[in-house]
Amino acid sequence: MATRNQALRMSPANQSPCEKGDCPLTYHNSHNTKYGTTACYNFLVEEAGTRTMTKMPIHLPNLLLMLVVTAVCFETVAGFSNGKVTDACKSMVPNHGHHSSTKANTYSITVDKSIFSPGDQIKVTLSASKSGTTYFKGFLIQARDTGRPSADAVGWFTLVNSTASQLLKCGHTQGSAVSHTSDAKKTEVQAIWNSPKNAPPSVQFMVTVVQHYKVYWVKIPGPVVSQAGVTPGPLPSTTTSAETTEPSVLPGPFNAEGCGTRKSCLRDPVGCDPETDPLCSYLSFSPEGQTVLFELSGPADGYISFALSLDKWMGNDDVYLCVRDGDRVDINAAYVVGRTHPVPATESVLTDMAWRLSDGVIQCRFRRNIHIPQDHNRFSLNESYYLFVANGRAENGMVHRHDRQPLISTSQKVILGPAENLSGSRSPVLIKYHGAFMLIAWMTTVTTGIIVARYFKNDWPRRALFGQKVWFQVHRALMILTVLLTTVGFALPFVYRGGWSRRAGSHPYLGCTVMALAVIQPLMAVLRPPPDSSRRYIFNWMHLGAGTMAQIIAVFAIFLGIHQQALLLPGPWSTGVLAGFVVWGVVAELVLEFHRRGHFKMGSKDTEDEEEILSNPKDQSNEGTLFKKVVLAVFLCGNMGFLSVLLYTISSV
């Protein structure tokens, strides 16, 4: 993919949505989701300040618009490797999520003259050493004033080969930098530098070279050229802050000793120890002088991370990543703007970095200053924040969206505050209530209400409750409760998300269908014809069909719901419990149905609304009534048992 081979990447703060990784063709985007063209268009509209477009009807004008948007996405995704990296002009640092290589580079910059006059031209050549690396993919060449190396680029360039290089506007001068046009392998590029009339006394050429995405060198110093009659002064240091010492390897795993007394800890499961539990997600921090020591551990194929946040939503957060890269781990600070890919820090703010890999577990340790005033993206550690702990996959050092909902601290914590054991959850409270309400409604109240209406009509033939037969009042009360629970549960995810969730798959669509059928059922009941009406059978079939369809779809929606990131129940045993829950209700209904049809030599058919639908066995005996009551009692006991286990599990995630 284009994003894997990009050479110099623009800062995400100024990228279009497609360049940020939200385009359908980018796999490693921040949401780890292959959006459709419509989703990419929605992001474009949102940037313009309008957030109302969510779907596009398939007709000719919109189809043409989709094609145009797709073309834009193709172009901007390719832009990751097309060298249009004006946002890297100042620092000359590519935004690749890695530090520049500390190994000696094997590239050279040469010029065809060392003395110039204003208006002169100098040929600049960048080449790969034949004795070292024989190619490079990306580059950025500039000329800087040797007296002010941090100032804007000086002069402008003329291209020698427009297929391999292009001009960029760095600062106020068009063509003041040269970059690559593709990620093709190159051994040499040339450009002509034009000296301005107000040229400084001496100029040094600098280049950033990208061998491949993870290996690059920043501001490789080139030759210094001087104006005629000017003696060049001493060269400034060319060491960049992006270069840093490599993290060391931890001699052994760290543990939870001292949690709550010497250091604050956030753990999942509660009380776990990263030294002995490979499934333990663990974050600890302890102030030491003017710094804070952080320890992070968790099971992951690619990375573990934590973030400091002002709220419980991803966005505008101070992030720290430990990313597996082969048999080593890169430790970086980053910043998240909205729900986008983390933007790595251009300067290293971490010290005493160390890491360990063992049996699918990543551990890393590092230290950070309490205050970093020069970096506005790094939060001061003497304030209170919510803590996020997340893990996920990484490919070639690039992180994907986390596979599970992050572990989020229950409340804000002052990083420099007293040591304590922190509590947290991977599921928001509103989503927990959503799951609980739907379970109660569609696994307990609906099933019980159906059993009462279908098999217990004759057990209270002469009894009345508020002017209606007992079985009918019980059935109606349970169904009204189902509709109320479904309505509230249906609204909660929308309240939490602030709208529609684009990453929940088919679950929300099934939920909308269930909600619609749940509303239709009582409306049909209100409009039903009298029992002796010739058209009563139409209502009977419609009521039975809509109710059965709603119950089946609700069960599928619940199975999908317990695997959503926002409510990911531990598996596979939780799926087994839910399956047992469903089977228990089906078995209870089958037993009662067989009994009613006379297969157990006791029982008869219920009358009234189902006489056109069901068969006509003999009348029930008292013994048959007792049997049904026993089955109902056993069913309710088992149903409440399954429900209690699942509700407890939901409260624990």
Side-chain angles (χ1 to χ4, degrees), residues 434-446:
H434 165 73
F437 287 169
M438 291 304 185
L439 274 174
I440 295 171
W442 293 97
M443 302 302 293
T444 298
T445 60
V446 159

Side-chain angles (χ1 to χ4, degrees), residues 174-242:
Q174 179 63 42
S176 55
V178 184
S179 71
H180 54 285
T181 58
S182 72
D183 58 3
K185 294 181 179 180
K186 311 164 188 66
T187 58
E188 182 180 281
V189 292
Q190 291 183 331
I192 304 298
W193 180 72
N194 300 276
S195 170
K197 292 182 179 180
N198 58 345
S202 60
V203 173
Q204 183 175 30
F205 293 96
M206 295 181 178
V207 62
T208 289
V209 178
V210 177
Q211 180 182 333
H212 56 78
Y213 186 78
K214 295 181 294 182
V215 179
Y216 58 86
W217 291 262
V218 176
K219 289 185 179 179
I220 299 174
V224 174
V225 295
S226 305
Q227 289 198 49
V230 176
T231 302
L235 297 180
S237 171
T238 58
T239 303
T240 66
S241 58

Side-chain angles (χ1 to χ4, degrees), residues 289-455:
Q290 295 302 309
T291 65
V292 175
L293 179 66
F294 291 93
E295 293 179 331
L296 186 61
S297 176
D301 295 329
Y303 73 94
I304 55 174
S305 65
F306 79 90
L308 307 176
S309 180
L310 298 173
D311 52 36
K312 290 191 174 184
W313 285 95
M314 176 181 174
N316 303 324
D317 303 327
D318 189 358
V319 181
Y320 300 87
L321 297 142
C322 301
V323 185
R324 180 172 183 171
D325 186 6
D327 58 355
R328 62 187 301 276
V329 174
D330 289 330
I331 304 175
N332 296 298
Y335 188 74
V336 172
V337 181
R339 299 179 71 83
T340 61
H341 197 278
V343 182
T346 56
E347 297 185 1
S348 177
V349 297
L350 309 179
T351 59
D352 298 340
M353 295 181 289
W355 56 269
R356 184 175 184 270
L357 284 173
S358 178
D359 299 327
V361 175
I362 300 176
Q363 291 191 336
C364 62
R365 173 187 291 158
F366 55 86
R367 194 180 302 274
R368 209 213 84 172
N369 288 337
I370 296 173
H371 302 284
I372 307 179
Q374 70 274 18
D375 192 335
H376 299 293
N377 291 333
R378 303 275 77 80
F379 294 171
S380 176
L381 300 183
N382 61 353
E383 304 292 339
S384 61
Y385 306 101
Y386 288 102
L387 299 169
F388 288 55
V389 178
N391 62 287
R393 296 174 296 109
E395 187 174 349
N396 296 324
M398 288 296 300
V399 299
H400 295 254
R401 185 175 182 269
H402 43 77
D403 299 321
R404 296 183 62 192
Q405 185 84 354
L407 174 65
I408 305 176
S409 61
T410 304
S411 58
Q412 291 183 318
K413 166 64 179 176
V414 179
I415 306 301
L416 299 184
E420 61 179 306
N421 281 305
L422 305 173
S423 61
S425 173
R426 292 187 182 273
S427 181
V429 174
L430 291 181
I431 300 300
K432 288 183 177 182
Y433 277 111
H434 165 73
F437 287 169
M438 291 304 185
L439 274 174
I440 295 171
W442 293 97
M443 302 302 293
T444 298
T445 60
V446 159
T447 307
T448 306
I450 290 174
I451 288 176
V452 169
R454 188 171 294 173
Y455 304 107

Side-chain angles (χ1 to χ4, degrees), residues 147-192:
R148 301 169 58 217
S150 61
D152 290 340
V154 176
W156 69 93
F157 288 89
T158 303
L159 298 179
V160 174
N161 182 358
S162 60
T163 61
S165 57
Q166 63 182 323
L167 300 178
L168 299 179
K169 183 180 180 180
C170 285
H172 302 288
T173 305
Q174 179 63 42
S176 55
V178 184
S179 71
H180 54 285
T181 58
S182 72
D183 58 3
K185 294 181 179 180
K186 311 164 188 66
T187 58
E188 182 180 281
V189 292
Q190 291 183 331
I192 304 298

